[in-house]
Amino acid sequence: MALISMIGLAFVLDLLLGDPYSWPHPVKVMGQAIAAYVKKFDQTTRSARQLFWLGVLLWFVIVGGTAIIAGAIMGLTQRWFWLHYVVGVYLCYTTLSIRGLAHEGRKIQKSLQAQRLTQARQQVGMIVGRDTQQLSAEAVCKATIETIAENTSDGVIAPLFYLFIGGPVLGLVYKAVNTLDSMVGYRNQKYRNIGRFSAQLDDIFNWLPARLTWLFLLAASWLLRLNSRGAWQIGRRDRRQHLSPNSALSESVVAGALDLRLGGPHQYFGERVDKPFIGRTDARPASSADIGTTNRMLYVSAILGLLFFAGCRWLLI
């Protein structure tokens, strides 16, 4: 019961506080360590095989280091219950990004509503990996919606899943896995080799959480009285329409619920990456209001996920 209450309090803190930029955050440290590691090696002088094994080493350094440090922190505070509990709540809180994700979406939505397209492009560039300098207003909307949908899994449901299994340590291990993928898991020339192992392991870690997210988003579309039939139909038809085995699961439900067409080709670091389309070919154009609706789906799915995982742990323990 202590772990359930710990995660529940962390969930509430995330809803209230989000991710203040000035606060210390484990993911910032992970990101700095990954960037320093990649910068250390001159990729132009190394073979694809060498870069792959450097990527394997990177994964074990970051993920293993996270597990050791988080485990040590929790172990050292074990003797003092309240200190252990408070530290555990804070570490759990840092793995969740419900309000932070919704906040980024709202900023972009407000910029688009005020017709500040350049600002909206810059803001969406902070949360997506693709090039955003030339995006139209509708493309900015779609990029934001896709990111919120995908991160409903990566930033909310998957962390909750691992928190309820292994507490703060496993939750932070998952964040390390996901941070590696978000920084080096690209199929472009720069990261194709050094990031391949990180991308493959992220796919494995997210396999089950992504499918649970599909269910939670489907339920959210019904509870919010959106197009739940479209969410079911497009969600079933297009759930594999992505280069990733997991990303299309959440995006397809959102596309069906909002009657949008997502996906398609994008530019990453100046290189075109062709991705399948998700949704009906005769779907309506995306608007800034759809960002707000996607945020509501995010919040409802997060609450459903918390209740489901808490219930499962309570029944099992």
Side-chain angles (χ1 to χ4, degrees):
M1 290 300 293
L3 180 60
I4 294 176
S5 65
M6 187 184 289
I7 299 170
L9 184 53
F11 188 92
V12 172
L13 283 175
D14 184 76
L15 292 181
L16 294 174
L17 302 175
D19 294 317
Y21 297 125
S22 60
W23 285 23
H25 201 293
V27 173
K28 292 180 182 177
V29 179
M30 295 174 195
Q32 291 166 355
I34 295 166
Y37 183 99
V38 173
K39 187 177 180 180
K40 182 178 178 63
F41 299 102
D42 182 3
Q43 298 190 43
T44 61
T45 62
R46 298 178 186 273
S47 67
R49 182 180 178 84
Q50 288 174 324
L51 289 172
F52 172 78
W53 286 110
L54 284 172
V56 172
L57 178 61
L58 168 65
W59 192 91
F60 280 101
V61 167
I62 300 299
V63 176
T66 299
I68 291 169
I69 294 170
I73 291 171
M74 294 303 294
L76 289 171
T77 59
Q78 189 78 46
R79 292 175 56 190
W80 305 279
F81 174 78
W82 285 111
L83 178 61
H84 182 78
Y85 187 85
V86 169
V87 170
V89 168
Y90 182 74
L91 292 180
C92 290
Y93 155 73
T94 64
T95 68
L96 301 171
S97 55
I98 309 161
R99 179 167 177 167
L101 180 60
H103 175 68
E104 296 300 323
R106 279 193 297 271
K107 287 197 307 183
I108 297 164
Q109 182 182 19
K110 289 179 181 178
S111 294
L112 290 170
Q113 290 171 340
Q115 297 185 338
R116 295 193 295 265
L117 180 56
T118 300
Q119 183 177 16
R121 287 168 174 166
Q122 293 170 345
Q123 290 168 334
V124 78
M126 300 296 292
I127 60 172
V128 300
R130 73 191 67 167
D131 299 339
T132 62
Q133 298 89 340
Q134 303 300 322
L135 294 183
S136 65
E138 184 186 9
V140 170
C141 286
K142 289 185 177 182
T144 307
I145 291 164
E146 290 168 8
T147 299
I148 296 171
E150 183 175 352
N151 282 282
T152 299
S153 178
D154 293 359
V156 183
I157 302 303
L160 284 173
F161 176 80
Y162 286 106
L163 285 172
F164 275 104
I165 293 174
V169 176
L170 191 56
L172 283 167
V173 164
Y174 169 76
K175 291 304 291 185
V177 171
N178 190 242
T179 303
L180 279 161
D181 178 66
S182 67
M183 291 187 66
V184 301
Y186 297 100
R187 300 191 182 193
N188 58 16
Q189 186 174 357
K190 183 176 181 180
Y191 294 114
R192 183 179 295 115
N193 297 305
I194 201 168
R196 192 190 338 157
F197 188 78
S198 292
Q200 291 170 342
L201 268 293
D202 183 76
D203 289 341
I204 293 170
F205 270 76
N206 277 299
W207 193 90
L208 184 54
R211 281 143 185 84
L212 292 171
T213 303
W214 189 91
L215 293 172
F216 297 143
L217 282 169
L218 189 63
S221 71
W222 180 79
L223 291 169
L224 292 169
R225 299 190 177 185
L226 302 173
N227 185 1
S228 56
R229 177 173 292 184
W232 167 255
Q233 292 173 341
I234 300 300
R236 286 188 64 200
R237 190 193 73 183
D238 292 350
R239 66 187 186 276
R240 297 188 181 92
Q241 291 290 93
H242 203 283
L243 299 178
S244 161
N246 301 317
S247 296
L249 285 153
S250 54
E251 291 182 26
S252 62
V253 175
V254 172
L258 274 60
D259 191 26
L260 299 175
R261 195 183 194 205
L262 304 176
H266 303 305
Q267 293 283 331
Y268 290 86
F269 305 100
E271 296 181 27
R272 177 187 170 99
V273 177
D274 291 309
K275 296 183 178 182
F277 283 101
I278 298 171
R280 293 166 44 191
T281 55
D282 60 344
R284 63 178 180 82
S287 70
S288 60
D290 295 315
I291 298 174
T293 305
T294 310
N295 272 344
R296 289 193 290 275
M297 294 183 73
L298 160 68
Y299 277 111
V300 173
S301 300
I303 294 169
L304 291 174
L306 177 71
L307 295 174
F308 177 80
F309 295 136
C312 289
R313 184 168 180 92
W314 183 78
L315 288 172
L316 292 172
I317 301 301

